[in-house]
């Protein structure tokens, strides 16, 4: 039996789940006779919900190739993570590795993640496995020493030449990787945004969301999707929650229903904080049990969304639902710029004028129908360009 391994697979949040479903379809297209294995950082948590075998995200180092290779020895000294021994059995019979890591090739999560990423590609090279790196973010990399910079840059240039294609989701990531590779590097926007058909979540999940008839009907309602990382990764702190609470007050004054949406398990805490401080009773919709398929249904109810989760915005745009965005990474800026929605973007890494947020909200309340049409036109243009 031969295999296709999808690295970076996850159902931890809606975006990761959607990317996993799309990658499974790509694997079936490329190698319909192969068994699909998912490599995830959440092996135990994921396995009980899905229809595929799940194994650890970390590949082995104990290869014969490493004993003879300077490259292998350099990598081996720099990785401390334990690996899943199962790969020793299947790698010799693996035909493709499809990577959907999303945002792993950066030192924002430590230098170890860079070497783990390089190790996966190098192991594939040792076994002559074809590698496809699907659309994702790249960089930045911060080095602790000059020697580390020289060594790592050498490894990146050497190892990243091997994949059949390396797709950068943002222009900044594309420019970053151009320092290392050129022939196999392409710029390609988010794979979920570019996917035109309905995503088949039943293929992945054992239990999927079954909507009632009225749930797919647009209502006088707005969904709010907070992100715990705004508090953890920016200087906004509780000011972020205060702004969201005022947004709720403005919407309530306009007689518009508001729902809080839990996009990821990490966001349950901030949703509960908002709920506890809110003057009016509002509904919380937890999408973590049924996943992205549930959000794809309920987002159709909203006039627009207030969102700080990247793929909540992507899913909304796919449904032609506008968004007022409070983001914390460059990917948010590039997404809204590409969709001609930049006026609705607020970068939480910078000073935010609260009054401007509220005025923009009021403008979107008036313009959301026009923005739906604008999104429709822009998506047609993007689908034509990247089909």
């Amino acid at each position: 039996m031969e295999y296709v391994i999808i690295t970076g697979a996850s159902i931890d949040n809606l975006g990761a789940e959607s990317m996993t479903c799309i990658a499974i379809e790509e694997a079936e297209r490329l190698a319909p006779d192969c068994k699909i294995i998912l490599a995830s950082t959440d092996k135990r948590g994921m396995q009980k919900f899905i229809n595929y075998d799940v194994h650890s995200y970390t590949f082995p180092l104990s290869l014969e190739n490493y004993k003879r290779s300077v490259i292998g020895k350099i990598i081996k000294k720099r990785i401390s993570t334990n690996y899943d021994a199962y790969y020793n059995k299947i790698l010799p019979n693996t035909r493709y590795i499809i990577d959907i890591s999303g945002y792993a090739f950066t030192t924002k999560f430590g230098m170890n993640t860079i070497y783990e990423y390089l190790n996966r590609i190098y192991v594939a090279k040792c076994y002559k496995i074809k590698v496809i790196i699907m659309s994702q973010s790249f960089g930045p990399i911060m080095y602790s020493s000059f020697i580390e910079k020289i060594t790592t840059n050498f490894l990146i240039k050497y190892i990243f030449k091997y994949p059949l294609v390396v797709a950068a989701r943002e222009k900044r990531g594309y420019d970053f990787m151009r320092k290392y590779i050129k022939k196999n590097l392409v710029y390609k926007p988010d794979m979920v945004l570019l996917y035109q058909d309905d995503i088949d979540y039943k293929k992945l999940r054992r239990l999927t969301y079954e909507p009632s008839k009225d749930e797919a009907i647009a209502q006088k309602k707005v969904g709010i999707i907070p992100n715990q990382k705004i508090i953890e990764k920016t200087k906004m702190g509780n000011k972020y929650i205060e702004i969201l609470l005022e947004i709720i007050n403005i919407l309530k004054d306009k007689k518009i229903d508001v729902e809080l949406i839990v996009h990821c398990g990490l966001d349950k805490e901030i949703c509960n904080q908002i709920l506890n401080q809110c003057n009016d009773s509002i509904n919380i919709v937890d999408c973590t049990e049924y996943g992205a398929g549930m959000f794809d249904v309920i987002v159709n109810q909203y006039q627009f969304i207030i969102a700080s989760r990247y793929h909540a915005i992507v899913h909304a745009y796919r449904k032609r639902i506008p968004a007022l965005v409070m983001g914390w990474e460059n990917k948010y800026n590039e997404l809204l710029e590409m969709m001609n929605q930049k006026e609705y973007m607020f970068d939480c890494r910078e000073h935010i004028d609260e009054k401007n947020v509220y005025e923009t909200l009021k403008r979107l309340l008036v313009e959301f129908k026009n923005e739906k049409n604008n999104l429709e036109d822009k998506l047609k243009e993007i689908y034509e360009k990247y089909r």
Side-chain angles (χ1 to χ4, degrees):
M1 177 180 288
E2 290 189 297
Y3 301 88
V4 175
I5 303 173
I6 298 175
T7 52
S10 178
I11 58 170
D12 181 57
N13 60 64
L14 309 187
E17 180 176 344
S18 300
M19 289 190 292
T20 301
C21 291
I22 294 169
I24 288 171
E25 185 169 305
E26 180 68 4
E28 290 176 337
R29 184 187 70 82
L30 290 169
D33 56 328
C34 290
K35 181 177 180 179
I36 296 171
I37 301 294
L38 305 183
S40 175
T41 55
D42 184 24
K43 175 181 175 181
R44 290 183 180 178
M46 190 175 180
Q47 187 65 83
K48 60 185 177 182
F49 292 109
I50 68 163
N51 299 314
Y52 294 85
D53 289 345
V54 184
H55 291 272
S56 170
Y57 197 23
T58 51
F59 276 19
L61 292 165
S62 56
L63 300 169
E64 286 299 316
N65 307 69
Y66 276 101
K67 296 176 182 178
R68 302 191 298 267
S69 167
V70 173
I71 302 292
K73 289 177 181 178
I74 293 172
I75 296 173
K76 189 171 184 178
K77 288 179 180 179
R78 286 163 172 79
I79 294 182
S80 57
T81 312
N82 293 326
Y83 69 88
D84 191 331
Y86 177 74
Y87 291 117
N88 287 329
K89 300 178 182 178
I90 70 166
L91 283 169
N93 298 308
T94 297
R95 194 183 303 174
Y96 282 94
I97 290 175
I98 299 175
D99 189 87
I100 53 168
S101 296
Y103 194 30
F105 200 72
T106 174
T107 52
K108 290 192 175 184
F109 310 106
M111 197 68 193
N112 197 55
T113 60
I114 296 292
Y115 286 110
E116 285 181 355
Y117 200 116
L118 291 170
N119 179 61
R120 287 190 294 273
I121 301 174
Y122 186 67
V123 167
K125 179 179 170 65
C126 291
Y127 281 113
K128 296 182 173 59
I129 301 167
K130 295 174 183 177
V131 176
I132 296 171
I133 298 179
M134 297 184 77
S135 188
Q136 57 189 268
S137 299
F138 293 97
I141 298 179
M142 306 300 292
Y143 301 101
S144 60
S145 68
F146 179 73
I147 295 297
E148 183 179 70
K149 181 177 180 179
I150 295 296
T151 304
T152 306
N153 283 351
F154 165 74
L155 290 174
I156 295 171
K157 287 179 181 179
Y158 177 79
I159 292 174
F160 263 92
K161 289 178 182 178
Y162 180 73
L164 298 175
V165 65
V166 178
R169 183 171 60 189
E170 290 86 36
K171 291 179 180 177
R172 182 178 291 185
Y174 176 83
D175 292 339
F176 172 80
M177 291 304 293
R178 283 277 294 178
K179 296 180 293 184
Y180 306 107
I181 53 172
K182 290 182 173 63
K183 288 185 179 180
N184 59 343
L185 177 66
V186 298
Y187 164 70
K188 195 170 185 180
D190 186 84
M191 70 176 81
V192 180
L193 184 70
L194 295 183
Y195 193 83
Q196 297 185 45
D197 299 326
D198 290 336
I199 298 172
D200 185 4
Y201 298 106
K202 291 182 179 180
K203 187 175 290 187
L204 176 66
R205 278 186 177 264
R206 293 173 185 165
L207 183 64
T208 55
Y209 186 67
E210 298 296 336
S212 59
K213 291 182 179 180
D214 61 342
E215 282 185 300
I217 300 173
Q219 302 175 28
K220 196 174 182 182
K221 189 187 296 187
V222 169
I224 297 180
I225 304 97
N227 189 340
Q228 182 71 27
K229 289 183 179 179
I230 299 288
I231 294 177
E232 296 175 357
K233 303 292 185 180
T234 74
K235 296 179 180 179
M236 284 199 73
N238 287 327
K239 177 61 68 177
Y240 174 61
I241 293 177
E242 292 174 13
I243 291 173
L244 291 178
L245 287 169
E246 182 57 28
I247 285 173
I248 292 171
N249 290 336
I250 292 171
L251 292 171
K252 287 289 188 178
D253 287 344
K254 300 286 186 180
K255 308 299 181 186
I256 294 172
D257 290 333
V258 178
E259 287 185 337
L260 279 173
I261 302 165
V262 181
H263 173 282
C264 169
L266 296 174
D267 297 334
K268 289 182 180 181
E269 180 181 345
I270 190 170
C271 285
N272 286 326
Q273 282 183 272
I274 294 168
L275 182 65
N276 292 335
Q277 296 180 49
C278 192
N279 294 326
D280 295 299
S281 60
I282 55 175
N283 188 34
I284 287 187
V285 180
D286 189 344
C287 289
T288 57
E289 182 177 356
Y290 294 101
M294 181 178 183
F295 184 77
D296 260 1
V297 172
I298 65 171
V299 75
N300 286 307
Q301 301 175 32
Y302 304 128
Q303 293 178 339
F304 57 89
I305 61 171
I306 316 293
S308 296
R309 277 284 178 180
Y310 178 81
H311 273 104
I313 305 158
V314 169
H315 277 261
Y317 284 168
R318 289 181 77 243
K319 301 289 186 177
R320 287 66 172 169
I321 305 295
L324 190 155
V325 176
M326 297 173 68
W328 66 284
E329 288 284 358
N330 178 64
K331 61 184 178 181
Y332 294 87
N333 293 288
E334 288 204 22
L335 173 63
L336 270 75
E337 185 173 357
M338 180 176 65
M339 299 300 295
N340 289 340
Q341 297 287 301
K342 196 69 185 290
E343 65 183 291
Y344 302 111
M345 171 69 203
F346 295 91
D347 194 330
C348 293
R349 298 171 298 179
E350 304 167 358
H351 171 73
I352 290 181
D353 183 345
E354 295 172 51
K355 290 183 180 180
N356 192 16
V357 175
Y358 307 142
E359 289 303 315
T360 303
L361 171 65
K362 292 172 184 176
R363 186 164 68 250
L364 188 52
L365 280 165
V366 175
E367 295 291 333
F368 74 90
K369 289 183 180 179
N370 291 331
E371 294 301 346
K372 284 176 179 282
N373 294 330
N374 292 338
L375 288 171
E376 174 71 35
D377 293 341
K378 191 62 185 178
L379 281 170
K380 287 179 181 178
E381 178 186 322
I382 289 171
Y383 290 156
E384 182 67 25
K385 185 175 182 179
Y386 294 102
R387 66 179 180 178

